[in-house]
């Protein structure tokens, strides 16, 4: 069985972290998000994964090679210009080996999901679907497009983000994991921008094709913002979402090569990367500290992200903040929720 990971986005909402690293390669519980997704795919019997890359495509190949350390075959198809979700899916068609009637798993590269992928595949096959979307219900769907289904589980419409309560006809949203029957991928127009949400899926409905919704409400998180990214890493460390790459839930995941002073406290689902140094009396709670970073004595880092080889000097305090790779913060710096420090030392505030 084959799968496609859509990992070409620039991750503008995750800047400054994505200035140096593509969003799907940022570490979640000390492993790239893409590695967790590949592990999940492998666990359901996928033997071959195609990474649809674009932005900083070389980073993926440098890390994964051809899949040797993941125990799965990995191939790369790179967009020379952005093609949208549908265009990216069509762009890998020539690299697929599956027959026309076989299922292909398509997974957005910026989500963590705990849903039962085996059941979604079985559902797709039982309903003889052309496409099966993983749907989930949310309490407030106004930030999402809506996907209503009928009593036969067939999708009846794709509705843009509602602006009034009257427009909320369902609380079901697209969760970013699809099963395509191979022939449908070949039908997507080639060599141009195509959106599956706005073009491919609505066209299938107009043609009365069998587009189904598999509804499951297990763990799911869009990693599109820095604070969501930190939450995803926390949740993985604490066992709310699992893959084979994180062996057990805990209050902290600390790489063997990190040095944590005995008087420091690391808790709240924090992930401490390789070669990190955490100094005396420091507190790291619910945070991601990337490889090579240094947290000096007396610092407090809560619900924050510290980039690769960044230096946080004595007595600094970060609460819901992001520090880019290679940044050095002066002693006693205070950063509050939403503040981001860029590589040039400038500070911005996210919305």
């Amino acid at each position: 069985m084959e799968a496609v990971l859509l990992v070409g986005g620039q991750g503008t909402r995750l800047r400054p972290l994505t200035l140096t690293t593509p969003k799907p390669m940022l570490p979640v519980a000390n492993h790239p998000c893409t590695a967790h997704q590949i592990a999940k795919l492998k666990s359901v019997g996928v033997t071959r994964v195609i990474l649809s890359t674009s932005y900083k495509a070389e980073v993926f190949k440098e890390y994964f090679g051809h899949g040797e350390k993941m125990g799965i075959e990995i191939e790369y198809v790179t967009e020379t210009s952005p093609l949208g979700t549908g265009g990216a899916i069509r762009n890998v068609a020539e690299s697929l080996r599956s027959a026309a009637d076989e299922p292909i798993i398509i997974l957005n590269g910026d989500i963590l999901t705990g849903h039962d992928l085996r059941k979604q595949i079985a559902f797709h096959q039982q309903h003889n679907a052309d496409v099966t979307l993983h749907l989930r219900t949310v309490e407030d769907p106004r930030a999402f497009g809506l996907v209503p289904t009928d009593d036969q589980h067939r999708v009846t419409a794709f509705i843009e983000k509602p602006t009034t309560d009257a427009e909320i006809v369902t609380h079901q949203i697209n969760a970013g994991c699809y099963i395509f029957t191979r022939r449908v991928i070949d039908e997507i127009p080639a060599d141009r921008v195509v959106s599956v949400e706005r073009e491919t899926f609505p066209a299938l409905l107009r043609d009365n094709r069998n587009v189904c919704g598999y509804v499951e409400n297990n763990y799911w998180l869009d990693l599109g913002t820095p604070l969501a990214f930190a939450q995803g890493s926390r949740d993985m460390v604490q066992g709310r979402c699992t893959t084979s790459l994180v062996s057990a839930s805990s209050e902290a995941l600390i790489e063997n090569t990190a040095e944590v002073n005995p008087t420091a406290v690391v808790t709240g689902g924090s992930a401490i990367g390789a070669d990190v140094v955490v100094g005396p009396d420091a507190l790291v709670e619910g945070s991601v500290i990337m490889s090579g970073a240094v947290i000096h004595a007396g610092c407090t880092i809560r619900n924050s992200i510290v980039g690769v080889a960044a230096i946080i000097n004595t007595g600094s305090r970060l609460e819901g903040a992001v520090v880019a790779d290679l940044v050095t913060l002066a002693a006693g710096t205070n950063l509050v929720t939403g503040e981001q420090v860029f590589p040039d030392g400038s500070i911005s505030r996210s919305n």
Side-chain angles (χ1 to χ4, degrees):
M1 187 159 51
E2 295 182 291
V4 178
L5 286 178
L6 303 177
V7 293
Q10 294 193 18
T12 53
R13 291 185 299 158
L14 268 167
R15 289 178 180 167
L17 301 173
T18 50
L19 294 174
T20 49
T21 303
K23 174 171 59 173
M25 290 299 290
L26 290 171
V28 174
N30 291 345
H31 297 274
C33 180
T34 297
H36 288 295
Q37 292 181 318
I38 291 172
K40 182 179 179 72
L41 292 168
K42 182 182 176 183
S43 73
V44 301
V46 171
T47 58
R48 187 167 183 267
V49 176
I50 299 173
L51 299 188
S52 173
T53 63
S54 178
Y55 177 66
K56 295 188 179 295
E58 69 283 356
V59 174
F60 296 90
K61 194 164 188 178
E62 288 169 1
Y63 186 91
F64 291 110
H66 292 290
E68 297 86 352
K69 69 180 179 181
M70 297 292 296
I72 195 169
E73 182 183 351
I74 297 176
E75 185 172 336
Y76 304 86
V77 176
T78 301
E79 300 173 18
T80 54
S81 60
L83 295 171
T85 47
I89 294 168
R90 178 62 179 85
N91 196 47
V92 307
E94 280 65 39
S95 296
L96 294 170
R97 299 173 186 164
S98 301
D101 61 348
E102 291 183 320
I104 308 290
I105 303 166
I106 312 287
L107 193 59
N108 286 349
D110 56 358
I111 60 170
L112 286 181
T113 177
H115 86 286
D116 193 327
L117 189 50
R118 286 186 188 276
K119 286 186 178 179
Q120 185 182 355
I121 296 165
F123 180 96
H124 174 84
Q125 294 170 323
Q126 289 162 5
H127 289 78
N128 195 28
D130 291 293
V131 177
T132 299
L133 293 80
H134 172 213
L135 307 179
R136 72 185 320 275
T137 57
V138 294
E139 186 173 339
D140 183 358
R142 287 174 295 181
F144 305 93
L146 310 183
V147 188
T149 53
D150 63 19
D151 56 6
Q152 301 299 311
H153 309 289
R154 295 186 65 161
V155 174
T156 58
F158 291 90
I159 302 170
E160 293 296 323
K161 295 176 184 178
T163 56
T164 66
D165 289 346
E167 293 175 311
I168 301 176
V169 298
T170 182
H171 285 248
Q172 292 177 175
I173 66 164
N174 176 4
C177 180
Y178 320 113
I179 313 296
F180 272 71
T181 298
R182 161 67 195 270
R183 62 176 173 271
V184 179
I185 294 175
D186 295 329
E187 294 168 6
I188 298 172
D191 301 321
R192 70 171 177 85
V193 176
V194 181
S195 165
V196 286
E197 298 87 353
R198 294 181 175 86
E199 183 174 347
T200 304
F201 294 156
L204 290 171
L205 294 189
R206 287 194 299 271
D207 293 341
N208 200 33
R209 303 287 287 276
N210 189 13
V211 180
C212 290
Y214 170 77
V215 182
E216 187 183 327
N217 289 323
N218 280 356
Y219 181 94
W220 179 85
L221 185 66
D222 177 352
L223 300 177
T225 66
L227 293 185
F229 165 73
Q231 179 189 336
S233 185
R234 263 194 317 272
D235 290 346
M236 187 75 73
V237 172
Q238 294 179 320
R240 297 186 184 93
C241 181
T242 61
T243 71
S244 61
L245 300 183
V246 181
S247 58
S249 62
S250 63
E251 284 304 296
L253 183 62
I254 301 173
E255 288 295 303
N256 292 335
T257 56
E259 297 180 17
V260 178
N261 188 277
T263 64
V265 176
V266 180
T267 188
S270 294
I272 307 296
D275 303 316
V276 166
V277 176
V278 181
D281 300 315
L283 170 64
V284 180
E285 182 179 321
S287 296
V288 176
I289 313 298
M290 297 188 190
S291 60
V294 178
I295 311 299
H296 279 284
C299 290
T300 297
I301 316 291
R302 282 196 176 98
N303 301 331
S304 296
I305 303 170
V306 176
V308 173
I311 298 173
I312 312 301
N313 273 302
T314 304
S316 294
R317 188 178 190 91
L318 281 62
E319 300 268 1
V322 178
V323 176
D325 296 353
L326 302 173
V327 165
T328 297
L329 288 188
T333 299
N334 287 312
L335 298 174
V336 297
T337 299
E339 289 190 322
Q340 303 165 327
V341 185
F342 279 69
D344 62 2
S346 62
I347 298 175
S348 70
R349 171 168 280 278
S350 62
N351 295 328

